[in-house]
Amino acid sequence: MNNNQASTQQKLLIVGNGMAAGRMVDELIARDPHRFSITVIGDEPHGSYNRIMLSPVLSGESTALSIIQKPAAWYAENGMRFLAGVKVVRINRAQKTVDCDNGEQVEYDHLIMATGSRPARIPAKNQDLTGVMAFRTLDDVDTILALGETAKHAIVIGGGLLGLEAAYGMAVRGIDVTLVHRSGWLLNRQLDSASGALLEQVMAHKGVRFRLSREVVSFNGNRRVESATLTGGETLPCDIAVIATGITPNAELGFEAGLEGKRGIEVNDYLATSDPAISAIGECSEHNGETFGLVEPIWQHCTSLADRLALNVRTAYKNMPVATKLKVSGVQVFSAGDWLTTDQHREVVYQDVARNIYRKLLLKNNRIVGIVFFGDVRDGQYFFELMEHGVVVTQALPQLLMGRAFCSEVPQAAASKEVAAA
Amino acid sequence: MSSLIATASAAEQQQTHQTTCCYCGVGCGVTATIENNAVVAVKGRDDHPANFGRLCVKGSSLHQTQHSPDRLLKPRLHGNDVSWDEALDYSAKKFNDIIAEHGPDAVAFYLSGQLLTEDYYIANKLIKGFIGTANVDTNSRLCMASAVVAHKRAFGNDAVPGCYEDLEKTDVLILVGSNAAYAHPVTFQRIVKAKQERPQMKVVVLDPRRTPTCDIADIHIPLAPGSDAYFFNGLLSYLASHNHLDQNYIEQFTEGFEAALEIAQTQSGSVQAVAQVCDVAAPLIEQVFALFAKNEKVVTVFSQGINQSSSGVDKGNAIINCHLATGKIGKEGATPFSITGQPNAMGGREVGGLANQLAAHMGFDKQDDIDRVANFWQATNMAQKEGLKAVDMFKAVDEGKIKAIWIMATNPVVSMPDADFVKRALEKCDLVMVSEAIADTDTAKTADVLLPATTWSEKHGTVTNSERCISLQKGFLPPPGEAKHDWDIMAIFARKMGFSEGFNYVHQAEIFREHAALSALDNPRARAFDISAMADISNDQYDALEPIQWPVTAQEPKGTKRLFSDGYYFTPSSKAKFIAITARLPVQPPKSDEVIMNTGRIRDQWHTMSRTGTSANLLSHTEEPYIDIHPDDAKRLALAENELVELSNRGARYLGRVKINTAQRIGEVFAPMHWNNKYAASSRADALVNPFTDPICGQPEFKHSPVKIRPHATTWTGFLVTTKDLQPACDYWAKMTSDIGYRYRLAGVDVVDYSTWLKQQYPEVTDWQELTDSEQQHYRAAGYCNNALVVVFNAEQGKAMPQEGRWLDKQLGGELDDVTRYAILAGNEGNGGADDGAIICSCYQIGENVIKEAIVAGCHSAQALGETLKCGTNCGSCIPELNALIQQIEASV
């Protein structure tokens, strides 16, 4: 890189090195590899890795090495500066600098906040006992695996995607796992009670026990966790307790610098914060009151922001329904849009109890507004597109629910989108 | 070597037998091929005079209806399997007790044109000669009774003058009330061929409906229902006024002409008068009159449209009058010709198996006849008077006057007029005995004693067809289970009643010889029916009997084609009698809010379907009960094609699909007579028929029933494809048979929760696959027992009929993979059944099989797969699996 070029380059600083940051640099390079002088500061020691794949690593279906997408050397090879294991402690918006916990100060012309999130806290006592932990990072996986060498009993708190994946990961490693969930059924943000019950049945076959409609009141033990007491009084023995009850945006750094936002750092449709020199993406951000936990909208954050910064093109980010997938071997879940049936919905359900298959479509005004598939998610994406494009589907019912293959006339998402536009 | 031996033994196992079809009155010869004790093929017998090698679709399917799952194999007493002795001891004692207390007129037999002559003979002998009542009637009453009496009145005996050949050799063929194309298909084919060979031959059809028979008609006269006698009275007047009478014939061979002509002229003195009553244009009528008048060779074929009427006898005589007045009788190509419905209606008439006949063409009107028969039989208790005819017989059952009835080989709960009344009457009768081959006919369900009878291919004996041709219906298979021949059952029963003499037969030929000997008594020239030349045939000759037309006498040992050729009739004066006919219209004209229901056959079913209904092939032509209705009526009643319609009368309902058909006259509908409670919920057309009968012969007026009509109040429609034979609990259902199970079309009036409804029909099923809709617009379900598919149910709100694919039929009973289980509810195979395989890329729903194909096609990296299929390009979590698949496939190449 010559000086001339260096002097024209803008200094782009990305705080955080999770999946959003990793994708962000890819998107920027793809548009214009020389536009920015990029610095990435991450508090984890690794390069950017695919956090979604932590579950397969835990269950032994993938290795830690295979999920690291950008090893530390990659940044230098691509002309970037990468500060690993470093934490930013302060943003000086007036000076356009940040202060790091290693004493370094880094300048920026534009700052991207990609600080992600952390596990939400639960109201249980004694969460500081050894063995009470989150399931969020490669380090967490290492810890669980290390404890797992000797651990006999584990509890997982939280019956969402992450909790189920953690429970499954430990169960396949031979640990006796009980999952404690506050709601009456699993994946209660994605499934209805019927499909949740099917999921419970399938997970039970994989060796996971459940305590539903229960919370942990306290962890018990002397330095190391030995048991957990639940609402209702039951006490379960445990050598590991993994808390996976959701996430809290890491927005404090931004708030302390005066950026606006309620739960996350507030951004507009182009991912700009209340300071035009600062953008925010991923799980630390908040858009129209929504925060984020799944990967698809975050990829949209990255493309929208890259278009604006690298090409000066305005691509509005829109909050769209997102399909949920559960990464537990042999369990297929697909959920998007509404998932609980109300009086406002027309509900069409296909159920094959013997084969653990459940497929529900929720309709309003003859259009799909919710999809809950369990056990067989074929054509899920197709339904998702029909939903996104507001295609009228009632003519194709009820065949449609069996899949496109059985319909003589298949509703086309793309075609009707044009019609809608016209 | 071993394979050669196997072939040889297989060939030895295959045998052919000459027999006769068991369906209609045409009486076709059949060559049946037997292998391993089963009929494996049938074909028309080339040298049989009825069919010369042809067979209709019903006859061609005889081998497919051999293995009814509902075959009755053991005697049953009050629903329990019992021994023959138990069943018949009970019945015989009950008969004796009832006779002892109430007299012989408190018992009755109800027989069938399906019985063989030998069966009929024993029934007649037992009840008239030994039990001592003439309460024996037959379903021929519903079919032939009018023609029988018309023949007797005109000719002195019940004898059809002509033969099938006359239908081919005539110059003018008039078919009256005959849809031969459906009811007598082989005879019809002979007519078609004759007309092709001689296009100058004229065919005229008189029928309120434009039936398929009209396809070959030069003239169709769509006359008002029941107006036939006006037409033929008009013809007689026309013949007289246009000088077309055969005065010689009238003077030499007939009597009563003047009186007959006078009434004819009074009622139908002009073509205009006929045109008005018949509701047909005068020139059309005059054309037919002229054809009749100007041609020597004229045949008038008449069938149920004439017979099934409250004035059927008169109609028959009105026709015969015209032939007598012109001498068009007893000559080649010139005859009135009554064509019978059943295979052995004629045989039953020969032995006198009707309440108003005695035996061998003798009657109760002559004491000499009664005594002659009594002596011949050495009867211990000879009946002295006529018994009750069918309709009156069931009325007497209802009134408790008849306390024991034995029904053989027929299904009156379906076929009788006012059939619901018949059902109720039987349900309260002290003793109902039913001899049947099929265990669960509507009538069998009313039986106290149910007796397993042999059927076609097992029974051995003779039948007589419409042209007086006696043929052997051969028994070549052993009776299944404990089934016995009808004559044998009756003979055992007779002995158990205490009649030790007179019922000790061991071979059918003994009965036949006795029957032939009776026909010879004090004959010739006394009675038309004379088969004296056969009174001494050996058992072997009998077993190899070739078709032969009676009379069979010393003078005519090879049988007789035509009767009355010499002008000799069997009346006291030896002259044919004109009958003065005052034509009458049907008893009850329709009210303003009614239509006239006509009933009849469809092409591929026989009677009440207990045999033909089991063949998927035969049912596939017309799967559901229906009505034909004129477009104007459909419009007036707001009925759409295929919609369900409800006809009602006498508290009974007929449900069927609307077929809009210009072949119907306005104000008239046609309903097929075949459907019954085994095949449909509420489609027994005969239940709507008024029990009006001909005052002379007792034949009911099946062809003219004023009924109310309205669209069925369908709220939901659906179908069941299932292995289970059930009676679904909904307002309308119709059953169809498939090779594996059944298909039902359903329609409900009451709104039901489909899921609950279905599970009530199938309490035994626990493995359900279901598609529900909160708006109840759609419902689909499939049920499995031990992984095998037992039922598929589809329901839709509204009147539109969901289409069930034939593909579903074949899935029944099978264990199905996951993809096929989807297809079951979709109702079709899908697009070639392509399976994408287990989903590998969840984000883009890319299946394993699709990915493998792409790898084989050249995608050697996860990136290349992503570019082709998009898999792995979103969350990336499937990339390890993509790589693993690539390695796996490249390793295997």
Side-chain angles (χ1 to χ4, degrees), chain B residues 514-540:
Chain B
E514 186 178 316
H515 167 53
L518 179 57
S519 82
L521 264 193
D522 303 325
N523 222 353
R525 295 235 128 188
R527 303 182 303 275
F529 181 71
D530 185 345
I531 54 169
S532 47
M534 300 170 86
D536 297 318
I537 64 170
S538 69
N539 289 8
D540 287 347

Side-chain angles (χ1 to χ4, degrees), chain B residues 99 104 126-133 378-384 499:
Chain B
I99 292 164
L126 171 60
I127 196 158
K128 286 181 185 154
F130 293 79
I131 291 175
T133 177
Q378 295 185 298
T380 54
N381 189 17
M382 188 70 199
Q384 298 294 317
F499 308 120

Side-chain angles (χ1 to χ4, degrees), chain A residues 94-112:
Chain A
Q95 292 87 1
K96 291 195 171 179
T97 60
V98 299
D99 298 336
C100 300
D101 62 350
N102 63 357
E104 194 173 339
Q105 193 171 62
V106 181
E107 294 180 354
Y108 66 83
D109 294 315
H110 195 90
L111 171 63
I112 298 174

Side-chain angles (χ1 to χ4, degrees), chain B residues 414-680:
Chain B
V414 178
S415 55
M416 280 290 287
D418 200 6
D420 285 341
F421 168 83
V422 171
K423 184 164 180 251
R424 287 191 301 272
L426 289 176
E427 279 163 358
K428 63 186 184 188
C429 185
D430 280 2
L431 175 65
V432 176
M433 297 170 67
V434 175
S435 300
E436 249 301 348
I438 306 295
D440 61 347
T441 68
D442 291 3
T443 302
K445 286 177 186 150
T446 66
D448 299 296
V449 180
L450 191 52
L451 303 170
T454 51
T455 184
W456 185 84
S457 76
E458 302 146 16
K459 289 171 86 83
H460 188 66
T462 57
V463 291
T464 308
N465 71 5
S466 297
E467 59 165 359
R468 293 173 277 104
C469 183
I470 300 170
S471 299
L472 185 69
Q473 205 184 89
K474 195 168 182 182
F476 41 76
L477 294 181
E482 297 177 20
K484 288 183 185 295
H485 302 311
D486 287 291
W487 65 266
D488 195 23
I489 301 171
M490 286 183 280
I492 298 168
F493 176 82
R495 296 196 294 269
K496 285 187 185 291
M497 277 189 78
F499 308 120
S500 48
E501 298 299 316
F503 297 95
N504 293 309
Y505 307 95
V506 294
H507 191 284
Q508 291 88 341
E510 295 170 52
I511 306 171
F512 185 82
R513 286 192 291 267
E514 186 178 316
H515 167 53
L518 179 57
S519 82
L521 264 193
D522 303 325
N523 222 353
R525 295 235 128 188
R527 303 182 303 275
F529 181 71
D530 185 345
I531 54 169
S532 47
M534 300 170 86
D536 297 318
I537 64 170
S538 69
N539 289 8
D540 287 347
Q541 284 172 318
Y542 176 88
D543 289 341
L545 186 72
E546 287 295 312
I548 188 162
Q549 277 175 283
W550 63 258
V552 188
T553 59
Q555 295 74 36
E556 299 285 353
K558 296 205 179 302
T560 312
K561 266 190 182 176
R562 292 180 187 85
L563 292 176
F564 316 131
S565 299
D566 54 0
Y568 179 85
Y569 292 89
F570 296 91
T571 55
S573 63
S574 307
K575 288 184 171 185
K577 280 187 176 157
F578 281 92
I579 307 295
I581 300 302
T582 304
R584 303 190 309 279
L585 287 172
V587 173
Q588 197 175 68
K591 298 194 189 87
S592 62
D593 61 341
E594 290 176 331
V595 293
I596 297 167
M597 180 186 77
N598 185 358
T599 61
R601 292 190 197 286
I602 60 171
R603 196 190 72 187
D604 292 356
Q605 290 300 319
W606 174 254
H607 280 190
T608 65
M609 306 166 77
S610 29
R611 178 189 282 272
T612 45
T614 63
S615 162
N617 280 0
L618 292 179
L619 249 177
S620 64
H621 179 256
T622 306
E623 298 182 316
E624 281 183 275
Y626 69 93
I627 65 157
D628 279 324
I629 187 168
H630 189 276
D632 288 1
D633 286 326
K635 202 173 161 192
R636 178 171 61 84
L637 296 158
L639 290 168
E641 181 79 6
N642 267 329
E643 182 179 336
L644 279 176
V645 66
E646 177 182 310
L647 308 180
S648 59
N649 188 32
R650 309 182 59 77
R653 301 190 309 157
Y654 174 92
L655 303 183
R657 301 239 172 241
V658 168
K659 283 194 188 176
I660 296 172
N661 191 338
T662 53
Q664 283 301 122
R665 287 166 52 96
I666 293 172
E668 297 168 19
V669 299
F670 172 81
M673 64 182 222
H674 307 285
W675 270 272
N676 54 74
N677 286 351
K678 207 176 146 186
Y679 287 93

Side-chain angles (χ1 to χ4, degrees), chain B residues 393-415:
Chain B
M393 181 184 282
F394 287 100
K395 225 177 265 176
V397 171
D398 179 62
E399 289 162 358
K401 291 177 187 159
I402 289 175
K403 297 181 182 302
I405 187 167
W406 189 350
I407 298 163
M408 297 176 213
T410 184
N411 197 358
V413 169
V414 178
S415 55

Side-chain angles (χ1 to χ4, degrees), chain A residues 346 350-352 355 377 381, chain B residues 770 773 818 821 843 845:
Chain A
R346 176 175 183 183
Y350 168 85
Q351 220 170 341
D352 189 344
R355 306 292 168 107
V377 299
Q381 191 64 26
Chain B
E770 269 184 302
D773 174 0
D818 286 7
R821 274 173 82 117
C843 297
Q845 301 285 300

Side-chain angles (χ1 to χ4, degrees), chain A residues 386-419:
Chain A
L386 293 178
M387 177 169 78
E388 274 194 306
H389 296 135
V391 178
V392 171
V393 296
T394 28
Q395 287 307 312
L397 288 176
Q399 245 89 355
L400 188 62
L401 198 47
M402 313 297 155
R404 273 175 293 186
F406 302 112
C407 294
S408 48
E409 280 178 48
V410 183
Q412 296 296 328
S416 61
K417 187 182 186 182
E418 283 162 24
V419 172

Side-chain angles (χ1 to χ4, degrees), chain A residues 320-336:
Chain A
M320 297 290 280
V322 174
T324 298
K325 277 88 61 175
L326 178 68
K327 288 170 299 302
V328 171
S329 204
V331 181
Q332 301 200 347
V333 172
F334 188 95
S335 170

